[in-house]
Amino acid sequence: MALAITAALSALIWARINSRASSTATVMPFMADDPEAFLLYFLSQAFGWSALLWAWITVVLGLLLSGPRPARLPLSGPRLERLHRTTSLNTIALIAAHALLFAAELIRHNDAAWYGAAWTAFVETFVPGGYESGTGRIAIPVGQAALYLAIPLGLLFYIRHRIGPKTWRVLHRFVLVVYVLSVWHTLLYGTNVWYDGWFRTSVWLLQIPIAALFLARLLSPARRSERLPALAAVPGGGKPLWTARAAGRAAAAAVLVVLVAILVTGRDGGREEPPADTTSTHNHD
């Protein structure tokens, strides 16, 4: 299913670049002039978008498992958990494919000897701080952090009995950090959503269910030991735990309000698209 969705996204990206409807055509017009020469770049984009979608599904399933579950949900707890593990592994694979195709694109357009081009592409794609051009100086390390956190966090499930269930639960919560980094990387560096507009706003729209489920998870966690009355009853450390949980609820509610405001206004601080008669000379090389 992940590959089928990626193929559909590839077709959509290809159609939008050929019609010059994609922001990529404005950011890097040379790609729209000769799209066949940048096929690997568009494939990298498609895998990146699939990875973001699968990360979204993984987080939604995780929040359904750890928070209040709709009564009419047709999936049992064990089935949800299996799906959660499967989508997590798929997400890792899709992120890796996204990065490898980006590296392959760098190699293809490097005139140096193959070994020099391969080394440069490896450094720019996988070494934090190795990419020194434009927005990529921030966006690429953010994406790298998502990849390097996703791999151990996704695989920890299979050794949870060795590290202990409590340690595993604490570490597993950082999966949400991987997702936030992925969204941040997309909004910073996804040339499809480089400028303000419905395509960029739709990315923010997808974050509203995540924020709502996260707030619901904090308000009514599946584990009774994490609920406010139980935290308040903890001897010695009950008050700090209660305060932290209450602050988390307030922060989650604030994030939800901000997301709704972004959706309503269509503004998130992104770039304004230049006039139609302006030719961009931006090049990521």
Side-chain angles (χ1 to χ4, degrees):
M1 188 181 293
L3 291 176
I5 293 295
T6 303
L9 287 170
S10 297
L12 175 62
I13 290 171
W14 185 258
R16 285 176 58 81
I17 195 69
N18 274 286
S19 65
R20 294 182 178 268
S22 172
S23 294
T24 302
T26 303
V27 179
M28 297 178 289
F30 55 88
M31 287 190 175
D33 294 336
D34 186 15
E36 290 82 3
F38 297 93
L39 179 60
L40 291 176
Y41 179 80
F42 301 134
L43 284 175
S44 176
Q45 283 189 324
F47 272 96
W49 282 104
S50 288
L52 185 62
L53 176 60
W54 249 249
W56 184 89
I57 295 172
T58 298
V59 172
V60 167
L61 293 174
L63 290 173
L64 287 174
L65 279 167
S66 60
R69 199 173 308 158
R72 295 184 179 181
L73 192 67
L75 298 174
S76 64
R79 178 59 178 163
L80 275 176
E81 186 176 334
R82 286 195 296 271
L83 281 175
H84 180 61
R85 293 202 307 269
T86 300
T87 56
S88 175
L89 295 175
N90 279 335
T91 300
I92 295 172
L94 291 167
I95 295 176
H98 168 63
L100 288 170
L101 284 166
F102 181 77
E105 173 69 11
L106 294 178
I107 293 173
R108 183 178 181 183
H109 291 277
N110 192 327
D111 295 329
W114 70 267
Y115 49 85
W119 175 251
T120 300
F122 171 79
V123 171
E124 292 187 341
T125 305
F126 296 104
V127 178
Y131 196 90
E132 299 179 348
S133 176
T135 309
R137 287 178 292 181
I138 298 175
I140 296 295
V142 169
Q144 290 165 342
L147 172 61
Y148 297 146
L149 282 174
I151 294 173
L153 291 176
L155 299 178
L156 277 176
F157 173 84
Y158 301 98
I159 61 168
R160 67 191 187 284
H161 298 301
R162 295 187 179 182
I163 64 176
K166 184 175 181 180
T167 300
W168 174 75
R169 284 196 301 270
V170 171
L171 292 175
H172 191 67
R173 290 170 182 168
F174 285 91
V175 168
L176 190 61
V177 175
V178 174
Y179 179 73
V180 171
L181 290 171
S182 300
V183 174
W184 188 14
H185 170 74
T186 300
L187 292 172
L188 278 176
Y189 210 55
T191 52
N192 316 83
V193 290
W194 195 271
Y195 301 110
D196 287 330
W198 72 268
F199 208 61
R200 184 179 177 93
T201 301
S202 64
V203 176
W204 288 105
L205 175 62
L206 286 174
Q207 311 321 312
I208 292 180
I210 296 286
L213 284 172
F214 183 60
L215 178 59
R217 186 250 182 271
L218 292 177
L219 290 173
S220 182
R223 296 178 62 84
R224 295 189 177 185
S225 60
E226 296 179 1
R227 297 174 185 175
L228 289 185
L231 291 175
V234 174
K239 187 173 181 179
L241 290 173
W242 188 96
T243 302
R245 182 68 62 173
R249 291 180 175 186
V255 168
L256 186 58
V257 170
V258 170
L259 289 173
V260 172
I262 290 173
L263 179 63
V264 171
T265 62
R267 299 285 297 178
D268 68 339
R271 305 165 180 83
E272 292 186 3
E273 190 164 1
D277 60 350
T278 296
T279 300
S280 171
T281 58
H282 179 80
N283 192 320
H284 282 192
D285 292 343

